[in-house]
Amino acid sequence: MATVGDIAVSAFVNILLWFVFLAAFAFMRIQPVNDRVYFPKLYIAAGRKNPRSGEANWVWKHFSLNVGSWLGAFLGWMPAALRMSQADIIRHAGLDSAIYLRIYILGLKIFVPMTFLALLILIPVNIFGGTLFHLTSKIVSSDIDKLSISNVGDQSPRLWVHITMAYLFTIWTCYVLYVEYDNVAFMRLHFLASQSRSVDQFSVVVRNVPSVGGHSISESVENFFRRNHPDHYLSHQAVYNANKFAKLVKKKERLQNWLDYNQLKFERNPERRPTRKIGFLGLWGERVDSISYYEETIDELEKKIASERQRILKDPKAVLPVAFVTFDSRWAAAVCAQTQQSKNPTQWLTERAPEPRDVYWQNLAIPFVSLSIRRLVISLLVFALIFFYMIPIAFVQSLANLEGLEKVAPFLRPVIELKLIKSIIQGYIPGLALKVFLYILPSVLLIMSKMEGYFSLSSLERRAASKYYYFMLVNVFLGSIITGTAFEQLYSFLHQSPTQIPKTIGLAIPMKATFFMSYIMADGWTGIAFEILRLKSLVIYHLKNMFIVKTERDREKAMDPGSFELPETLPTLELYFLLGLVYAVVTPVLLPFILVFFAFAYAVYRHQIINVYNQEYESAGAFWPHVHTRIIGSLLISQVLLFGLLSVKKAPYTTLLIVLPVLTLWFHKYCKGRFEPAFRRYPLEEAMEKDTVEKAAEPNLNLRAYLADAYLHPIFHSFQDEEMGEVRVDKYQTYHSRTSSPARSEISSPSPPHYVYHYDIEP
Amino acid sequence: MATVGDIAVSAFVNILLWFVFLAAFAFMRIQPVNDRVYFPKLYIAAGRKNPRSGEANWVWKHFSLNVGSWLGAFLGWMPAALRMSQADIIRHAGLDSAIYLRIYILGLKIFVPMTFLALLILIPVNIFGGTLFHLTSKIVSSDIDKLSISNVGDQSPRLWVHITMAYLFTIWTCYVLYVEYDNVAFMRLHFLASQSRSVDQFSVVVRNVPSVGGHSISESVENFFRRNHPDHYLSHQAVYNANKFAKLVKKKERLQNWLDYNQLKFERNPERRPTRKIGFLGLWGERVDSISYYEETIDELEKKIASERQRILKDPKAVLPVAFVTFDSRWAAAVCAQTQQSKNPTQWLTERAPEPRDVYWQNLAIPFVSLSIRRLVISLLVFALIFFYMIPIAFVQSLANLEGLEKVAPFLRPVIELKLIKSIIQGYIPGLALKVFLYILPSVLLIMSKMEGYFSLSSLERRAASKYYYFMLVNVFLGSIITGTAFEQLYSFLHQSPTQIPKTIGLAIPMKATFFMSYIMADGWTGIAFEILRLKSLVIYHLKNMFIVKTERDREKAMDPGSFELPETLPTLELYFLLGLVYAVVTPVLLPFILVFFAFAYAVYRHQIINVYNQEYESAGAFWPHVHTRIIGSLLISQVLLFGLLSVKKAPYTTLLIVLPVLTLWFHKYCKGRFEPAFRRYPLEEAMEKDTVEKAAEPNLNLRAYLADAYLHPIFHSFQDEEMGEVRVDKYQTYHSRTSSPARSEISSPSPPHYVYHYDIEP
């Protein structure tokens, strides 16, 4: 167990790093050459120009060595970030961003009064509880423990105070959660009400369209909705199976990149036309002129693409049993989305259509049975991943040891036997396997969520976030408290009585407080400071700039604003709530660390949302019910653990704590009924109001034309309009520009983006 | 533990009783005087007349001593009951009855093949498993145990057979359940589609109508639905707070009964006009002429009732924030019922309206917050009831002992000291307290369900049934397997590890097989034979006939057809499924007992549904999802217990059983998605079809008039039409006749009905 000294060292190191990162950020940020790394959102949203783009002097144009501005920039970004009002943030970065920031504020609202109360009341009670003063030699305990509940003697009447505090903290948390849920629900409804006209308001996605003998999918959809929504049905758009087409387009893009690269090479070095071999990977075969080779191949591919497009549009078999159905009013779309259409509940499944940029097209065609099997398989996989993830890693680690390597690849023996290499492999590779696993985990979880069959990016991200949360709960929270792998924990829990488990964990909780303090400083303080530095984006941007950027448009493409990665940040945040609630009564000195995290992270993410991130979709805060549920869950965990701890300490009246989880669960159920429908369904009152206002304002609106191609597969947008043939694309330029980049149309797109790859591996 | 001899004795006694009951039934049934007790449904539905009503001879008219017809009647009712086709049953007794009968058939479908397989394969394997042949002196075991899994040695490779059987049984059960759910869902949809026009198809009940300043509830409802469903809204009916009115009406009815009784007395004995005292309970005060006294009081009361009705209809405060809203089509009603109306999800809650005779009026006005608190309180109460019900009973028992009684009522001492009375009190009262409790338990659970705030009788009964099931699961199933009260079990479970619990119970299971065999014979065989005898109804009917019946109409009233009491019979049935599934692999000799139960009970209930019961409402099989879920739950319990048992026996490959619950749970989830919406929502396709057909057939239908007073509070129907004033009652005679009896309007109405009470306590 760490002593106060250890904590101090850890704090010193972390604060030092924190300073270094912030200083580096301040320095990098004011360099005009980095402007697009630190202010991409302003370029996109506000049409920012590089402040010194007019400068003639090259150095002066790209670098700034003004120490004054540097010092000013050190913390100067903070007031600027905090100054923007919430309404402006919603306008600038969307409601999701604004609601996301409210989570940090929620943390402060919950924990600031708790911290005051705890420091004022609990710490004095604990200090003068007094058992540990005399027992230090007997029990292993640190100075931190003297401030915690461990310092209060068994059966001490002072434990009354802790029980009372648990009640106060629960009531306060529930109160704040209620007010916040109310606020967010109101914000969401207000946002939806004030939103301008968008195609998703009039559209419904219908899945599992049955194939009625003799009719095509399109005819079936047309007939069904004409019959069952005769007064309101407008039209529908089929969804095509464009997987082959998408492959061809990707291939063409890749070749186009190679062509560009070769042309660039030729421009720089006009004496020598670049050549390549036509065999596999350009390794063998006849040597040809690269530029003309690529030009020819692209020409061929374009013909293929055109014919494939024709085939898709004409072949009835390319039409998937899914369609986007549009209605003449928001009211009718809301009605269709919320009602059951067919006598067979597995057919004609309707749902509100996501925004076009939020659609995950690949998952639209999954039939009902397959969907239910996929969910089963994925939940089993997630369970296995959470409890057994150490097994494959240990396997890789065992492979990565020296004997294994020598066996697999005997020709490497001379290299491996070198002392330096040997020590690197032995010391580093095992840790590396774990690091790599944790690094790719969010992507893996996202892929799992995709396999589950959700068809909007926002729901995919929410699902991935929830999986990640469970992983962290078991492997970070429980894993740090109890030694052994998650599987060993599971095994020992299965063999303990249900009343014993909270006792075991509860007893270990106060002893691990120092560990979590270090964790919060490392992950919550320094980690966030590192986030604002954007080191990875910085490096990638400059690499791109060096190798591929030719025009201003390329430079725009090279900007990678990213977004607040919901699947990662949300679970992390929720873990802090868990830590705070669990330790609030047990070891209140942990609370100030959490307060610092929430306050600092709030400023950083506010700054990033204003200046950097560019949202990919707008879900109007659809993640809030998840946040609420997780915090309620944390509250329950904290109550159960406190109960376990106090019953070991034989505190008088411990049974009084049983009331808390019951009340908390009831509160959760109440909130669910009270607020959740606002996040799941679009109220008819609201829809009717907007319809009425619109009809009065624009009586001659041609909705049919407005909705015509709203939900065309994005792949058809990726070419110029003149190529589109019979696929009309009108009025939708805004969405095209958002969806045209293939990297954007798949959120998994692992950074670094593939431009870099292609240009780097050219031999 | 019982030996084969004990079982044989129990079987002998039960079969004897079974014969006695059936013989008594055969004898009673053919007596013309009992015709209305054994065929009330035929009187109601088919207009049956007493077969010998034309006879002149009094004895011959009322009694039949024909031994031939008696012998014929002994089992002759059975083929007659089985002859009616399912379609006829639906027409005769409603879909609920037909689907209820299918549960017995489901039991046979599941258990007949299981029994064959188990008897053919498992029993030989168990017999030649052979450990108990040699160990009889060491372990306490009966001959029955030689046929059970206990007879197979630990770690025996023969346990493979049991694991395979568990798989086969699970797969078979799931298959049958799937087919049956499919069938029932189809029957329900078909029934709804072929149903003739009824008001509930066009109506929606809206609750939590907010009071918008200045507007009355009626105005608010009118405005809201005119605005949000402009094309389809027709009208609405307010719901009045008629509690005081209902009280007055009840009082009047009671007085009317007294008046009738006195008039009857006077007719029989015309010399002496009956008199009574006007004080409390007629015990003191001035003596007056009874007939004129009651006539006067009733006159007064009628005036009061009339003015109260005027007040209710005029006072805006008597209107509750609830309304029945009617639409111009089934489509529009379905849309309104399934969608969210208001921005505030706790207001304007819409639901499909139940049939008028299915409405539980008292619960309509409960607001959202109160509802959620009520559910919390009731679930806590049910939990307490299940686990601590022995406490109040023990308290009553301790009061009922002699010393207690003598202390409370010292004047009783001389009576108590009599030897006979003493032994009765000591031997009988403690058992009586428990009996009384179990007898009133279903009513108590129904009252609890009412307090939860569901507003249709059908859902109230389903909720009560589910509570009763949990009570039986804990106190009958677990309570018989493990000694000690439910609370002691709960306590010991909390202090065992989760893996230990199935082992403990699993080990006890085979030892309790003989107990459950006796239980099935007593409750399932003899109990059902007693049910068909209708002893209680018989006695009550003849008592009524003796004392109060004057006219043919009175005689009709005196018939008490009753119904298959869902809150009691459904949980009992489900318990048999549980027993069968749990013992199928462990002690397969139990299965034939269950088969006999299902087959015999099927015949009995078919007979009762055809000849006796009169359904109170039609829910179109809404209870099926509950039955399905309970059987799935039983399957899970059986798998877990088998796992526990086999892991104690250290069977090889026991872990293979872990797959079963996962698959079962997945199957349940799949079925839920596949079929449950058919029981919760009315598909638009269906609604639109019926609308279209109707519009074509009756283009000039005046729906507004048809729907005008469909959902008037039943209390307003209980008087003659000429009294109704401005409350028009037209076209609804069918519903009136069904709802006019106050006993029918509250399902709690504890039999015997209150006519008997009133006439019996007359001094």
Side-chain angles (χ1 to χ4, degrees), chain A residues 228 331 338-341 343-346 372 494-499 666 674 681 684-686 689, chain B residues 228 331 338-341 343-346 372 494-499 666 674 681 684-686 689:
Chain A
N228 294 313
W331 186 89
Q338 290 174 39
T339 49
Q340 194 196 335
Q341 308 301 314
K343 295 175 203 175
N344 181 339
T346 61
S372 112
L494 281 179
H495 290 82
Q496 279 179 336
S497 78
T499 46
W666 174 80
R674 172 78 181 78
R681 299 161 135 207
L684 294 189
E685 188 183 13
E686 181 66 44
E689 248 171 45
Chain B
N228 293 313
W331 186 90
Q338 291 174 38
T339 49
Q340 196 198 334
Q341 308 302 314
K343 294 175 204 177
N344 181 341
T346 60
S372 114
L494 281 178
H495 290 81
Q496 278 180 335
S497 79
T499 47
W666 173 81
R674 172 78 181 77
R681 300 162 132 205
L684 295 189
E685 189 184 9
E686 183 65 47
E689 248 171 46

Side-chain angles (χ1 to χ4, degrees), chain B residues 14-289:
Chain B
N14 278 301
I15 289 170
L16 195 72
L17 276 175
W18 186 83
F19 261 99
V20 168
F21 290 146
L22 282 191
F25 166 64
F27 177 75
M28 300 306 259
R29 187 172 76 101
I30 54 171
Q31 308 306 327
V33 72
N34 293 333
D35 212 50
R36 278 179 187 277
V37 176
Y38 291 109
F39 303 98
K41 176 71 183 171
L42 298 186
Y43 279 85
I44 294 168
R48 175 181 176 116
K49 294 264 168 280
N50 196 318
R52 300 213 190 140
S53 56
E55 285 295 332
N57 181 329
W58 188 85
V59 173
W60 194 234
K61 186 174 173 183
H62 292 289
F63 295 99
S64 160
L65 299 168
N66 186 335
V67 178
S69 72
W70 179 27
L71 289 179
F74 180 65
L75 284 178
W77 55 269
M78 227 183 240
L82 297 179
R83 216 175 289 129
M84 198 182 238
S85 75
Q86 178 171 284
D88 285 337
I89 287 189
I90 294 175
R91 222 168 296 124
H92 177 75
L95 187 67
D96 278 345
S97 310
I99 292 182
Y100 176 75
L101 287 176
R102 288 189 75 97
I103 305 177
Y104 294 96
I105 294 296
L106 178 70
L108 290 174
K109 277 186 194 155
I110 290 178
F111 289 114
V112 166
M114 268 195 197
T115 311
F116 271 101
L117 258 184
L119 295 184
L120 277 178
I121 300 177
L122 279 182
I123 294 223
V125 169
N126 290 340
I127 288 178
F128 300 110
T131 50
L132 295 183
F133 275 121
H134 318 293
L135 295 170
T136 26
S137 58
K138 214 171 135 197
I139 311 176
V140 183
S141 82
S142 73
D143 295 337
I144 298 282
D145 267 1
K146 291 198 186 129
L147 308 174
S148 88
I149 204 172
S150 315
N151 201 34
V152 182
D154 286 2
Q155 295 180 313
S156 160
R158 282 161 189 271
L159 291 171
W160 253 112
V161 181
H162 298 86
I163 294 176
T164 315
M165 282 293 156
Y167 267 88
L168 279 181
F169 289 171
T170 298
I171 291 165
W172 173 249
T173 308
C174 287
Y175 168 74
V176 174
L177 277 177
Y178 181 86
V179 172
E180 194 62 25
Y181 213 151
D182 201 16
N183 266 337
V184 170
F186 174 79
M187 278 168 73
R188 177 183 163 92
L189 281 179
H190 183 76
F191 177 81
L192 292 178
S194 62
Q195 221 178 10
S196 57
R197 183 169 56 240
S198 70
V199 288
D200 52 301
Q201 293 162 353
F202 297 91
S203 307
V204 158
V205 52
V206 54
R207 290 183 303 155
N208 291 21
V209 175
S211 59
V212 185
H215 288 285
S216 72
I217 296 287
S218 274
E219 282 166 352
S220 297
V221 172
E222 185 86 15
N223 287 341
F224 186 84
F225 286 95
R226 266 209 196 300
R227 198 168 63 240
N228 293 313
H229 296 269
D231 304 334
H232 304 288
Y233 171 73
L234 212 60
S235 66
H236 75 275
Q237 283 165 63
V239 174
Y240 299 98
N241 183 352
N243 287 350
K244 194 182 160 197
F245 186 74
K247 241 186 231 165
L248 290 174
V249 170
K250 261 196 179 166
K251 197 174 169 194
K252 191 197 138 184
E253 236 159 52
R254 213 173 54 233
L255 290 172
Q256 186 71 46
N257 276 341
W258 281 108
L259 178 61
D260 290 353
Y261 172 83
N262 280 297
Q263 274 168 345
L264 198 67
K265 213 167 159 189
F266 183 56
E267 271 167 39
R268 286 191 191 148
N269 191 1
E271 292 91 60
R272 207 179 131 230
R273 272 186 86 84
T275 57
R276 64 160 279 165
K277 292 177 182 166
I278 57 170
F280 180 70
L281 279 180
L283 290 176
W284 49 72
E286 197 189 336
R287 182 165 286 277
V288 292
D289 182 277

Side-chain angles (χ1 to χ4, degrees), chain B residues 532-642:
Chain B
I532 201 174
L533 183 58
R534 284 174 67 72
L535 198 60
K536 204 175 77 182
S537 301
L538 187 73
V539 170
I540 289 168
Y541 174 75
H542 286 299
L543 280 177
K544 277 186 190 171
N545 241 348
M546 241 178 282
F547 291 109
I548 63 171
V549 168
K550 289 164 297 178
T551 65
E552 195 62 20
R553 210 174 139 266
D554 284 349
R555 188 163 291 127
E556 220 156 84
K557 267 189 174 175
M559 289 195 307
D560 169 34
S563 63
F564 51 97
E565 293 283 339
L566 223 54
E568 259 179 281
T569 50
L570 216 51
T572 318
L573 253 172
E574 289 157 356
L575 187 74
Y576 283 98
F577 279 97
L578 177 66
L579 288 179
L581 290 171
V582 165
Y583 278 102
V585 177
V586 175
T587 312
V589 274
L590 191 121
L591 288 179
F593 291 81
I594 285 182
L595 282 190
V596 170
F597 161 75
F598 275 120
F600 178 60
Y602 174 65
V604 166
Y605 275 95
R606 216 167 200 272
H607 172 266
Q608 299 290 77
I609 279 170
I610 292 171
N611 298 305
V612 181
Y613 301 149
N614 188 27
Q615 67 172 162
E616 288 180 4
Y617 55 82
E618 176 62 66
S619 73
F623 54 82
W624 192 264
H626 295 255
V627 175
H628 179 88
T629 311
R630 291 295 138 61
I631 298 177
I632 291 281
S634 308
L635 210 48
L636 287 172
I637 292 176
S638 78
Q639 291 158 355
V640 171
L641 295 185
L642 184 67

Side-chain angles (χ1 to χ4, degrees), chain A residues 679-724:
Chain A
F679 290 82
R680 301 266 171 272
R681 299 161 135 207
Y682 193 51
L684 294 189
E685 188 183 13
E686 181 66 44
M688 188 52 98
E689 248 171 45
K690 285 204 82 163
D691 284 339
T692 315
V693 169
E694 192 177 75
K695 232 166 253 167
E698 296 173 75
N700 300 319
L701 177 69
N702 183 353
L703 258 179
R704 193 182 292 273
Y706 172 73
L707 297 168
D709 284 314
Y711 283 95
L712 202 60
H713 198 297
I715 216 70
F716 294 110
H717 295 314
S718 59
F719 283 85
Q720 299 308 312
D721 290 1
E722 71 253 34
E723 286 192 39
M724 294 305 288

Side-chain angles (χ1 to χ4, degrees), chain A residues 36 46 49 90 104 151 201 223 255 263 267 301 310 316 391 417 435 448 485 516 527 530 532 550 579 633 648:
Chain A
R36 279 180 186 274
K49 294 265 167 279
I90 295 176
Y104 294 97
N151 202 34
Q201 293 163 350
N223 286 341
L255 290 171
Q263 274 168 341
E267 270 167 39
L301 212 53
Q310 291 304 321
I391 295 176
E417 294 295 323
K435 277 260 182 265
M448 282 182 158
T485 63
F516 282 114
F530 189 69
I532 203 174
K550 289 165 297 177
L579 287 179
V648 172

Side-chain angles (χ1 to χ4, degrees), chain B residues 632-672:
Chain B
I632 291 281
S634 308
L635 210 48
L636 287 172
I637 292 176
S638 78
Q639 291 158 355
V640 171
L641 295 185
L642 184 67
F643 182 80
L645 178 60
L646 287 186
S647 61
V648 173
K649 281 183 106 59
K650 299 196 186 61
Y653 308 103
T654 308
T655 34
L656 280 178
L657 282 178
I658 292 178
V659 182
L660 275 184
V662 174
L663 283 182
T664 309
L665 274 177
W666 173 81
F667 170 77
H668 175 57
K669 243 189 135 181
Y670 175 76
C671 282
K672 212 175 149 78

Side-chain angles (χ1 to χ4, degrees), chain A residues 115 119 123 144 512-518 520 576 579-584 587-595:
Chain A
T115 311
L119 295 184
I123 295 225
I144 299 282
K512 295 293 176 178
T514 47
F515 166 78
F516 282 114
M517 283 177 201
S518 309
I520 292 168
Y576 284 97
L579 287 179
L581 290 171
V582 165
Y583 278 102
T587 313
V589 273
L590 191 121
L591 289 178
F593 291 81
I594 285 182
L595 283 190

